[in-house]
Amino acid sequence: MQTRSGEETRRCFGMESEGADNGEALPESIPSAPGTLPHFIEEPDDAYIIKSNPIALRCKARPAMQIFFKCNGEWVHQNEHVSEESLDESSGLKVREVFINVTRQQVEDFHGPEDYWCQCVAWSHLGTSKSRKASVRIAYLRKNFEQDPQGREVPIEGMIVLHCRPPEGVPAAEVEWLKNEEPIDSEQDENIDTRADHNLIIRQARLSDSGNYTCMAANIVAKRRSLSATVVVYVNGGWSSWTEWSACNVRCGRGWQKRSRTCTNPAPLNGGAFCEGMSVQKITCTSLCPVDGSWEVWSEWSVCSPECEHLRIRECTAPPPRNGGKFCEGLSQESENCTDGLCILDKKPLHEIKPQSIENASDIALYSGLGAAVVAVAVLVIGVTLYRRSQSDYGVDVIDSSALTGGFQTFNFKTVRQGNPLLLNSSMQPDLTVSRTYSGPICLQDPLDKELMTESSLFNPLSDIKVKVQSSFMVSLGVSERAEYHGKNHSGTFPHGNNRSFSTMHPRNKTPYIQNLSSLPTRTELRTTGVFGHLGGRLVMPNTGVSLLIPHGAIPEENSWEIYMSINQGEPSLQSDGSEVLLSPEVTCGPPDMTVTTPFALTIPHCADVSSEHWNIHLKKRTQQGKWEEVMSVEDESTSCYCLLDPFACHVLLDSFGTYALTGEPITDCAVKQLKVAVFGCMSCNSLDYNLRVYCVDNTPWAFQEVVSDERHQGGQLLEEPKLLHFKGNTFSLQISVLDIPPFLWRIKPFTACQEVPFSRVWCSNQQPLHCAFSLERYTPTTTQLSCKICIRQLKGHEQILQVQTSILESERETITFFAQEDSTFPAQTGPKAFKIPYSIRQRICATFDTPNAKGKDWQMLAQKNSINRNLSYFATQSSPSAVILNLWEARHQHDGDLDSLACALEEIGRTHTKLSNITESQLDEADFNYSRQNGL
């Protein structure tokens, strides 16, 4: 702050008064009475002009008789000042406050060596004081970053540096980093530093640091977002310790010993390098050969003893047994009568007495014969067992990992292809010709009424199927030893995907079944109906997530309609174009010629991870000619219909019935489909086999219900609660593997422990379930417990682990429910019991909010308080916008318990609307209780 004496001030204004012709307003006189120099209590601050909004500069001084602004060396006209005067009670001095407005045009018109500036000059009796100069600048922020962060792959514990240079802007932009769309707080993680020139530094990379990083720049004008940089932290493999040396592989002579190690310390991860070097080492070894013993010649007979016997001996020393050799077989001594029967023993003739040696020799012969018989039987049993096991040994020879083994593993199956189906190229259709060879008995469940489960390929549809049956069971069926069947994939033919069908085969009519395998029936539709009138109601398809809300008054009085709703269970009729994928079931509601006076609400489940940044989701309708037309994009503004997209369902307000579906077009690789993964198990016809079937289905209740229905038909048991898998649209395939199988209790068939599903099959599954089959074998029938892990993961994506812990005996197995919460047991609910909000309360709400209000306290406030903030122009076209909003609320909150959200909204609104003040929370609680009781909830 600068000050001048009164005389200096007069000279100064005398000089500057020459500029009065330019229109500046200066004080007419400066008082000369002694006093105090002005002291600035508030000085003008630097300011930024945002868009076209002017800014205000203000200053306050004490004591001050006059205050004027000078901008860029020129006085601001007196008429542009706004001045206020007050008295400081503590000192009794006059306090003056002045402010001016500076516009964007003034700043843009100024061309000088420095920024546009202004300062205050205050006068008192003693002289003048000047405030600091305050600069005024136009705020902006460019769109493009000067440097975007770049993705990196770094080893674990390595340093990660992501550079970011934000766009040019005034004031300078502040930078914030996001990881997987979540802000990074470097103060909570000492391993991360974001303070160094806007760069992100991770000192020691951890596996959890893998992800997508985004640089966010913001100032007072706008926010800018950089391109995302993918960071992958990989782990190079390391060798485990060597095992102990094995025993020499030969019992006698020169052989070898070996030891091994595995690349698991640690195992390579996220593309890390595999261990270098040998996993097995061998060395030579020499074992001494065993030498079997052999008898020396017999010695001379001894002298005759008083017992009339003499004996002779021999030793096992020619040679003696060495190095584990066998001892000599036979007796080491012999005895016999030495008097030719003339000797009498115990007063009996010697020829009537049986020598002891003869009795011993007879016993030895008897026992030797029995031992030889036992050994022969044991050898025969072992030989038969080994033969049967060699005949039952099987292996699934997967030539191509993209055609996974499906169904039951009692056959060999090879897939032939042209090219690589792992490549995602919409212009090249993979060769889906399948050749199968069935060897071994086909499982028949009931000897009197046998049900043959047709085995389909893992993926569908197959353009051509060629089946060869070579098995002894064909003799019992009355079919030639080599029978071939060719089938084309058309409607009602050989089943595929989740449309597996079953047919009963009687003993006297088995041959026609094999010949007509392609004519098995398939389910095409899931349907429910209800009769509705003027009071409206709700039509629910249990456990599918699909429902239809007919509002009160939508159907004219004294009229009633039988309304139906169905889901297409066959092949989707909606053929996706380009990169579009089907995100929901195809839902039909009708009759199509029915008209309603108020829009009805149709709820359709979907499997997209909702994000406007990654998905462009469309509602489509099938025309009478069978073609699909786009009704609207869920982000568009429309007056013909309304879409409210929730995380797991879309609620649509419509005026006409028909067939509808949701499709999605991924905008970025970060677009995510939600998959539900589940594992089912059942015993095979072979008592030692157990089948695991792992399903990956779009996360819609209907799609999973299809799996449940088929598994119930097959006798399958859910072994673990299903889990969600986030599958990204990044073209990486899906891997399914079985881990941690008990090694001495179970074994898995060769080449089936890990199976891979191409990206296109999962991404474009069109609500059809995909599954992989794994066949396990017990070593002994006494094994009744199975524990293992099922790993389902997308390469460079999300991973889920299903922990299997079950008993294969049905009596000991723990039942896991298929659905956590069953839908209402009443598919058709009519009248007031179908609605949560009582009709009387609904009428009072509509009467309050349907009347327009200049302050916006009308139906728009009701929509806002219920989180309906988009496409409000649709409600403006309705005769009762509030009623339509409440109908949408009813559809949206069908399963979420109570009326708390509506009660809170009405309580907040009721403070300004006396008509709603008597709608209490207790009334809504009572209404919710009645709704739950009437619907059995």
Side-chain angles (χ1 to χ4, degrees), residues 399-420:
I399 301 300
D400 182 4
S401 64
S402 67
L404 304 182
T405 58
F408 304 99
Q409 307 295 330
T410 55
F411 56 87
N412 293 333
F413 144 174
K414 294 184 178 180
T415 300
V416 182
R417 59 173 182 165
Q418 307 291 332
N420 186 358

Side-chain angles (χ1 to χ4, degrees), residues 56-299:
L57 297 178
R58 65 176 66 241
C59 63
K60 184 188 296 185
R62 177 187 61 200
M65 300 182 62
Q66 291 291 344
I67 300 177
F68 287 92
F69 272 93
K70 178 187 286 187
C71 294
N72 304 318
E74 297 182 357
W75 292 102
V76 178
H77 197 280
Q78 186 174 0
N79 294 337
E80 297 180 14
H81 290 73
V82 177
S83 178
E84 296 179 357
E85 185 177 320
S86 62
L87 187 65
D88 189 346
E89 296 180 357
S90 60
S91 62
L93 300 177
K94 288 184 178 181
V95 178
R96 184 173 294 273
E97 182 179 7
V98 175
F99 69 87
I100 62 171
N101 287 330
V102 179
T103 65
R104 182 187 184 97
Q105 188 65 39
Q106 289 175 304
V107 177
E108 289 178 345
D109 291 343
F110 173 70
H111 301 284
E114 54 185 352
D115 293 332
Y116 190 98
W117 62 269
C118 293
Q119 72 175 161
C120 286
V121 180
W123 285 268
S124 70
H125 293 285
L126 186 61
T128 64
S129 298
K130 290 184 178 182
S131 69
R132 64 179 294 275
K133 290 183 178 181
S135 63
V136 180
R137 305 175 68 185
I138 297 176
Y140 67 91
L141 184 63
R142 305 289 186 199
K143 289 186 178 181
N144 297 325
F145 277 70
E146 295 183 5
Q147 182 179 3
D148 287 300
Q150 301 296 320
R152 295 193 59 191
E153 294 184 359
V154 296
I156 193 167
E157 296 186 356
M159 177 177 285
I160 302 174
V161 179
L162 298 180
H163 298 281
C164 174
R165 293 177 61 189
E168 178 187 351
V170 173
E174 295 183 357
V175 170
E176 179 185 24
W177 284 90
L178 305 179
K179 176 190 173 185
N180 297 332
E181 305 304 323
E182 295 293 333
I184 297 176
D185 189 354
S186 59
E187 295 182 357
Q188 295 184 359
D189 191 344
E190 297 180 352
N191 193 39
I192 297 177
D193 185 6
T194 58
R195 297 169 296 178
D197 197 20
H198 307 311
N199 298 327
L200 174 67
I201 300 175
I202 301 178
R203 298 181 180 90
Q204 287 186 322
R206 302 155 296 192
L207 288 177
S208 59
D209 292 324
S210 296
N212 294 320
Y213 289 83
T214 308
C215 182
M216 294 287 294
N219 65 3
I220 60 177
V221 180
K223 289 184 178 181
R224 300 287 184 253
R225 180 189 182 95
S226 72
L227 298 177
S228 293
T230 301
V231 172
V232 177
V233 179
Y234 62 86
V235 178
N236 292 324
W239 289 113
S240 65
S241 300
W242 288 102
T243 61
E244 297 294 332
W245 288 104
S246 66
C248 199
N249 69 318
V250 295
R251 183 182 177 189
C252 171
R254 187 179 178 85
W256 50 264
Q257 294 173 277
K258 69 175 182 178
R259 64 176 183 176
S260 61
R261 58 181 180 175
T262 58
C263 187
T264 57
N265 187 32
L269 190 64
N270 294 340
F274 197 79
C275 303
E276 296 182 358
M278 297 184 300
S279 61
V280 177
Q281 281 185 347
K282 290 185 179 180
I283 58 174
T284 59
C285 58
T286 303
S287 299
L288 296 175
C289 295
V291 177
D292 295 337
S294 182
W295 292 112
E296 291 279 359
V297 297
W298 288 102
S299 64

Side-chain angles (χ1 to χ4, degrees), residues 670-691:
C670 295
V672 170
K673 273 182 65 175
Q674 294 181 342
L675 302 181
K676 181 171 288 187
V677 293
V679 56
F680 291 79
C682 70
M683 291 291 294
S684 174
C685 55
N686 184 345
S687 61
L688 294 178
D689 287 355
Y690 192 76
N691 294 316

